[in-house]
Amino acid sequence: MSIKPGIRYGIISFGILFYLSILGLPLPRTLGGFGTLALGLFWAVLVLISLVTMRETDQRRYTTIEAVTGGLLISAIAGFGMALVVGLFGRLIADGVQVNTVFAQVLPEWVGTFTGQTKQEVQAGVSATTALLRFALLMTSAGFLGAIVSRGLTHSSRERWHDWINSPFMYWLVIAMPFVFYVWYFALARGILGATNTSISGLVLACLFVTAVLVALRRVRDKRRRLVFGIAFVVMLILLPQIGDQFQNTVLNKIAIFSVVGIGLNIVLGYAGMLHLGYIAFFAVGAYAYGLLASPDSYFVINFMGGDGITFWQGLLVAAIVGALMGIIFGVPILRTRGDYLAIVTLGFGQITFLLLLNLREFTGGPGGVLDIPPPTLFGVDLGSAESILYLAMIMLAVVAFMTLRLNDSRIGRSWRAMKEDEDVAATMGINLSTTKLVAFAIGAAFAAVAGVLYATRQVNIFPDNFALKQSIDILSLVIIGGLGSIEGVVLGAVAFAGLPEILREAENYRIVAFGALLVAMMILRPQGLLPPLEHEEDIDVSDRRQDAWLQIFDAEEDDQDSAETGATGTD
Amino acid sequence: MTTIEKRATSDYRPKMRPSQIALYGFGILILVLLGWRIYNVVSVEQYPIQFWAIQSINGLVLGSVYALIALGYTLVYGILFMINFAHGEVVMLGGFAGYFALQLCIRWGWVAADAPFFQSWLAVLFPIAVGMIASLLVAMALERIAYRPLRGAQRLIPLISAIGASFFLQYSALLIFGVTPHNYQKPAVLTGAVSLGDSGVFISKTGLFIILASIVLMLILYILVQKTKIGRAMRAVAEDQEMASLMGVDVNRIIVFTFVIGGLLAGAGGVMLGYQNTVMRFNTGFIPGLKAFTAAVLGGIGNVPGAMIGAIILGELEALGPSLLGLPNEYKDVIAFSVLIFVLIFRPTGILGERLSRERA
């Protein structure tokens, strides 16, 4: 019967809705007119939950009656539970209890978004029983809908879905998407669509364009087509900075810079398999190396260089060398540590670098940072605009990506992969672990440092807070969300971690909460990342398994896991 | 035992390579330089002996809180081999729960200076109990939602999940409880200081309470792990999960139980952090969590006495290090992390980490 799961998921759903509500989602003042939308969100959450849970169990499929009972039970418990909570909070507020000393978001307006009352009415304690009843019934309808829709979803429909995804129509649609977004972006930016204030919406389109390019390149396997579309995309990318305004280009160049950093970390983590939690230190070293040697008010420039700082191009060289040296200096002591010990030691290095930047006031400027970092110039032309920096960043990204691809196919790349699989075996096969590790550290650090130079000139003023632990974790997450060991994945991750925060600036804290939840969900549902490296997908040796009867057990198990993932959330 | 077996089981130690000799030489050089620096600073600055005594007591207080938190890391690591990155947030949420319990106590008049002795102590212990229960629930939810589905996955994956959970909890707390710092008001019995004789050395009552309470909690933990049946099961699971499950130990239950213990200690640690710092914010747990984790690694992660020793060392380093080296107080974290790195260079598995074999580390 579906009574028991209905009650269980009902209570879980109530918990989710309650949590969302005390996070402050229904408050209009935080999300600008999101108030009613949030109720829509609640409703959608309930539809989704009853849809997923009432689809089928491990053992059997629910009958329609059971599914509807279950769905109604889920949504009724959640809806009436929420109504009860809102009523209770409303009562408490009317009685003068300061509920917001515990739940900061539960203000009279909070109650008002559920009951449709004004602030004064809530404070006066006007009864809202009908409004709450209406709310509860609205929520209950969600479960009914979810249960009905779940009837349409069967295993065969899932197969049909797969067929549809792999159909030629979808193939061409995926290829067409970058062009669609590009033209749309162009039209929007040129004012053809008549919209004003296009900064954010244009940025969304630009990010979608980049994402679509990555997905399309992934989809096109045929070599010749790949070349044709590849060239088309490259031309479009070259023209991209001409379309956008300054804001969009600023965000786009941040995405490109973080992609370079991500690719560097990808070498250390994705290829060589060493978990580095203090990676931002190298980025900081690059940025500060250039900043301190180029900014006219830095200690070094004033005292040792007679007031003349180095140029951007010299800065790139210096940063690459200093970064690689730092990678080796930080690398030598930790050659013997592995796994989680390596993680914590590198975290320690990152923290030490950050704290030194913060506290060595005479040299680094302390919390005041390094100011007035000069822009790059070429033959006397100032390249400090967002557009030129975007070009520089794109060139840097291309160079770094090319180098990484070549490195990965080289002898050292194979050594990294061998070392990642098993250090002891790799050592036995004649790979010098120390050199291999140090090369990975040095190259990864040099990439990050070079990106740091560009970042410093982009920011003009840099502060230690730009290089705190949180950024290190951001970079780690972007590499993993994108897909460990894949360059397209890193770029996609950079879009998510450098682009989205700008788009969702108003809802920054909600974004971080959502990202946290997303990270957990991704690790459970798709741990290999959004765009994992291609060979990884292909070398699941299914054909090998088919030859050995006993290995087919694993295939069967995998199928089970698949159905468990998409089916009920709790399988115990 | 035959010769061959003996050779196979005996501790095989390769000869020192030149690079290792260089490394040790480098280590000794640094130690000598440090010693020289400390000698100079101490002989020049001429701090009174009371100063050192007070500082080391402060270090002990700090170390006790770190130890409570570090035990949560180390217990989980010992069993699941994963860094529970969200543990600092468990601490923070326990601290918040304790704060609200304390507000209740204030309303009941238990915190005021003229409150009766018994009630005044209740005002100390009730928030700790509430904090412990809240942290326990959070830790259990964390295990169920974020970690259990990932059991047996690659090592990086639970770590990322834990990082995600950490951000989720931290910023949830920011949104739910608001940005404004929540001020802990100390109950009457914890205000003021105790003087140790006429020596001029004194210890704040809060500090004394924290040290004693931590000792009690850790003693209980010790008895639990060493003397009870479930403690034995825990140790068995830490040693070899599969073998333990064959012997009839319910591994799932033990893992949950480990998180429960970690959560209980974290909750107590969180409320004590509140009493000590008198303020609670959404990011209060993060840095102490990081430090406690450092302490656990310093002592040898997965090792219960190691976590305690590491925590005390870390606390003392933070309290004494800057004055010993003649550096401003902002450098205390630099010193702490440098010592961590220094120790791990020469003992890659921490101070007491001998028990962990190489492939597990």
Side-chain angles (χ1 to χ4, degrees):
Chain A
M1 268 311 281
S2 60
I3 301 289
K4 224 171 112 190
I7 292 174
R8 194 163 133 217
Y9 292 119
I11 293 169
I12 293 175
S13 313
F14 167 68
I16 293 174
L17 290 196
F18 179 67
Y19 198 84
L20 287 177
S21 75
I22 56 173
L23 281 181
L25 270 181
L27 266 192
R29 74 176 156 83
T30 46
L31 282 174
F34 207 69
T36 45
L37 258 179
L39 297 192
L41 177 82
F42 281 15
W43 196 76
V45 166
L46 282 182
V47 170
L48 204 71
I49 290 174
S50 54
L51 193 152
V52 170
T53 54
M54 286 299 119
R55 209 166 65 88
E56 54 205 328
T57 59
D58 294 340
Q59 292 88 30
R60 67 189 184 89
R61 221 174 120 75
Y62 290 119
T63 63
T64 308
I65 299 288
E66 281 173 339
V68 169
T69 327
L72 282 176
L73 211 54
I74 290 174
S75 53
I77 290 174
F80 281 93
M82 267 319 285
L84 209 67
V85 168
V86 173
L88 189 71
F89 279 153
R91 190 76 260 164
L92 284 174
I93 290 172
D95 289 348
V97 179
Q98 296 284 320
V99 184
N100 64 339
T101 51
V102 180
F103 298 117
Q105 311 277 1
V106 181
L107 299 165
E109 294 92 330
W110 183 89
V111 177
T113 47
F114 290 99
T115 58
Q117 292 168 306
T118 62
K119 190 179 164 188
Q120 285 74 26
E121 281 172 342
V122 175
Q123 275 165 341
V126 176
S127 166
T129 321
T130 21
L132 285 176
L133 213 60
R134 205 168 341 118
F135 166 78
L137 288 175
L138 177 75
M139 291 295 136
T140 310
S141 72
F144 182 73
L145 186 80
I148 290 296
V149 172
S150 77
R151 299 301 82 206
L153 295 178
T154 55
H155 257 302
S156 67
S157 76
R158 213 171 129 217
E159 276 158 27
R160 236 179 294 148
W161 169 254
H162 274 275
D163 287 348
W164 190 67
I165 289 281
N166 291 320
S167 66
F169 171 71
M170 278 303 285
Y171 178 83
W172 288 108
L173 188 70
V174 166
I175 291 176
M177 282 329 269
F179 296 97
V180 171
F181 288 130
Y182 198 75
V183 173
W184 192 353
Y185 179 42
F186 180 80
L188 196 73
R190 287 282 172 274
I192 296 169
L193 300 180
T196 53
N197 193 10
T198 55
S199 274
I200 295 280
S201 45
L203 180 62
V204 173
L205 285 172
C207 287
L208 281 174
F209 164 68
V210 176
T211 312
V213 166
L214 296 170
V215 174
L217 280 179
R218 171 62 58 105
R219 193 70 194 267
V220 183
R221 296 280 169 84
D222 179 59
K223 267 225 168 104
R224 191 148 16 110
R225 278 186 195 161
R226 231 180 134 84
L227 191 70
V228 172
F229 287 115
I231 290 173
F233 292 149
V234 167
V235 172
M236 282 155 78
L237 278 171
I238 288 175
L239 295 174
L240 187 70
Q242 302 295 340
I243 301 175
D245 62 9
Q246 201 198 343
F247 169 73
Q248 287 151 5
N249 284 341
T250 313
V251 177
L252 287 174
N253 67 36
K254 190 176 172 197
I255 292 175
I257 292 172
F258 275 81
S259 305
V260 176
V261 186
I263 288 174
L265 179 60
N266 204 4
I267 289 180
V268 177
L269 179 63
Y271 296 158
M274 294 180 288
L275 178 54
H276 204 306
L277 287 183
Y279 190 71
I280 199 80
F282 303 130
F283 189 52
V285 162
Y288 266 85
Y290 176 57
L292 290 176
L293 293 177
S295 163
D297 10 302
S298 102
Y299 175 85
F300 294 95
V301 174
I302 292 171
N303 290 319
F304 299 113
M305 298 162 71
D308 282 330
I310 58 173
T311 65
F312 175 76
W313 313 103
Q314 290 166 328
L316 283 182
L317 194 67
V318 170
I321 294 169
V322 173
L325 277 179
M326 282 287 282
I328 292 172
I329 293 170
F330 276 9
V332 170
I334 51 181
L335 285 176
R336 283 169 68 205
T337 49
R338 293 183 185 195
D340 298 329
Y341 287 93
L342 182 71
I344 190 68
V345 175
T346 49
L347 186 89
F349 276 137
Q351 283 296 90
I352 289 176
T353 312
F354 168 68
L355 290 166
L356 287 181
L357 292 180
L358 199 64
N359 292 322
L360 287 174
R361 287 207 175 78
E362 301 121 74
F363 304 113
T364 64
V370 184
L371 309 178
D372 298 327
I373 297 168
T377 51
L378 189 63
F379 307 121
V381 182
D382 186 316
L383 297 179
S385 68
E387 191 189 316
S388 336
I389 289 179
L390 178 53
Y391 275 119
L392 287 174
M394 276 173 13
I395 294 168
M396 190 183 278
L397 177 59
V399 171
V400 164
F402 178 73
M403 281 170 71
T404 309
L405 285 177
R406 299 297 298 151
L407 275 172
N408 194 28
D409 289 340
S410 71
R411 189 184 174 82
I412 188 82
R414 289 197 300 277
S415 313
W416 286 335
R417 260 173 289 158
M419 193 171 74
K420 184 188 179 190
E421 291 303 322
D422 192 322
E423 284 196 6
D424 294 326
V425 173
T428 317
M429 301 309 278
I431 290 170
N432 184 337
L433 288 183
S434 308
T435 329
T436 314
K437 282 184 182 178
L438 287 181
V439 169
F441 277 134
I443 293 176
F447 284 178
V450 169
V453 174
L454 201 54
Y455 186 70
T457 168
R458 168 192 186 271
Q459 295 289 89
V460 183
N461 308 317
I462 50 173
F463 307 99
D465 281 348
N466 297 348
F467 311 101
L469 177 65
K470 194 178 162 296
Q471 272 77 0
S472 211
I473 289 173
D474 265 0
I475 290 178
L476 180 72
S477 317
L478 83 82
V479 171
I480 288 168
I481 284 268
L484 210 55
S486 119
I487 290 176
E488 307 105 285
V490 171
V491 179
L492 185 64
V495 171
F497 273 84
L500 270 186
E502 304 291 336
I503 295 170
L504 301 176
R505 180 136 280 190
E506 291 159 68
E508 173 71 7
N509 295 328
Y510 293 96
R511 181 188 68 88
I512 300 178
V513 170
F515 248 98
L518 189 75
L519 270 180
V520 176
M522 274 234 1
M523 288 304 109
I524 294 169
L525 298 174
R526 197 178 163 83
Q528 72 272 37
L530 291 171
L531 293 176
L534 272 180
E535 66 262 78
H536 192 80
E537 272 180 3
E538 280 164 4
D539 81 21
I540 300 168
D541 35 12
V542 180
S543 56
D544 289 355
R545 282 186 186 172
R546 298 274 179 261
Q547 290 167 11
D548 297 314
W550 67 271
L551 278 175
Q552 286 172 8
I553 299 164
F554 293 115
D555 286 343
E557 270 176 14
E558 266 176 19
D559 288 345
D560 283 350
Q561 273 172 8
D562 276 356
S563 57
E565 273 166 19
T566 46
T569 38
T571 46
D572 49 342
Chain B
M1 200 186 269
T2 63
T3 334
I4 294 170
E5 273 176 342
K6 224 180 227 166
R7 199 173 289 159
T9 51
S10 73
D11 203 359
Y12 169 69
R13 279 178 189 278
K15 270 188 198 156
M16 291 251 278
R17 277 175 292 139
S19 64
Q20 254 169 316
I21 294 172
L23 191 68
Y24 278 93
F26 173 72
I28 290 166
L29 183 74
I30 286 191
L31 279 182
V32 170
L33 284 176
L34 272 180
W36 178 244
R37 171 82 191 170
I38 291 171
Y39 173 76
N40 273 343
V41 170
V42 173
S43 57
V44 170
E45 298 274 351
Q46 299 284 0
Y47 288 119
I49 186 78
Q50 283 88 349
F51 169 80
W52 297 112
I54 289 169
Q55 281 300 80
S56 43
I57 288 171
N58 286 345
L60 205 60
V61 175
L62 207 56
S64 318
V65 179
Y66 287 163
L68 287 180
I69 307 171
L71 283 169
Y73 279 107
T74 229
L75 287 172
V76 168
Y77 192 91
I79 287 188
L80 285 179
F81 301 108
M82 66 162 281
I83 303 175
N84 182 5
F85 211 85
H87 195 63
E89 272 54 61
V90 177
V91 173
M92 176 267 295
L93 290 171
F96 266 108
Y99 168 81
F100 295 125
L102 192 64
Q103 295 311 104
L104 275 183
C105 293
I106 292 174
R107 178 169 296 177
W108 295 331
W110 291 356
V111 177
D114 55 350
F117 184 75
F118 179 67
Q119 263 89 332
S120 197
W121 272 109
L122 264 185
V124 176
L125 298 178
F126 177 63
I128 292 186
V130 172
M132 285 168 91
I133 290 166
S135 287
L136 173 159
L137 293 176
V138 176
M140 277 174 74
L142 203 60
E143 194 270 339
R144 181 69 189 82
I145 296 168
Y147 303 150
R148 194 182 295 179
L150 301 174
R151 230 173 271 154
Q154 258 184 21
R155 318 199 48 168
L156 198 56
I157 288 167
L159 176 70
I160 299 299
S161 175
I163 289 175
S166 164
F167 279 129
F168 178 78
L169 292 177
Q170 201 173 323
Y171 283 83
S172 291
L174 169 66
L175 288 168
I176 294 172
F177 303 129
V179 207
T180 46
H182 291 58
N183 289 313
Y184 259 72
Q185 194 180 336
K186 280 185 196 174
V189 283
L190 290 187
T191 50
V194 188
S195 190
L196 301 180
D198 307 330
S199 58
V201 179
F202 55 88
I203 172 171
S204 75
K205 282 186 185 169
T206 316
L208 192 65
F209 171 75
I210 288 175
I211 295 176
L212 292 178
S214 312
I215 291 174
V216 169
L217 284 172
M218 282 188 264
L219 269 181
I220 294 173
L221 177 78
Y222 178 81
I223 293 168
L224 194 78
V225 173
Q226 296 295 334
K227 307 283 178 198
T228 62
K229 200 173 163 189
I230 196 154
R232 207 180 322 141
M234 259 173 86
R235 281 180 288 142
V237 172
E239 203 65 48
D240 190 330
Q241 259 188 41
E242 210 165 312
M243 194 55 92
S245 78
L246 288 178
M247 292 303 186
V249 176
D250 182 348
V251 174
N252 244 336
R253 222 181 101 225
I254 296 300
I255 291 174
V256 173
F257 185 70
T258 310
F259 274 89
V260 165
I261 295 178
L264 286 172
L265 294 173
V271 180
M272 286 182 198
L273 266 181
Y275 283 142
Q276 176 74 357
N277 302 340
T278 65
V279 73
M280 195 44 74
R281 295 192 59 196
F282 72 98
N283 55 5
T284 303
F286 190 69
I287 293 294
L290 206 62
K291 294 277 182 56
F293 177 56
T294 309
V297 175
L298 191 64
I301 196 162
N303 185 318
V304 172
M308 301 178 193
I309 292 173
I312 301 295
I313 291 177
L314 198 74
E316 293 292 349
L317 273 175
E318 277 188 26
L320 295 174
S323 335
L324 276 177
L325 293 175
L327 293 171
N329 203 31
E330 291 95 74
Y331 286 90
K332 62 178 200 256
D333 292 353
V334 179
I335 295 170
F337 282 115
S338 306
V339 168
L340 169 83
I341 291 166
F342 195 71
V343 168
L344 287 190
I345 291 170
F346 296 100
R347 289 193 64 87
T349 49
I351 296 170
L352 293 188
E354 199 72 74
R355 209 172 60 86
L356 275 177
S357 56
R358 258 160 70 89
E359 66 267 24
R360 272 172 142 196

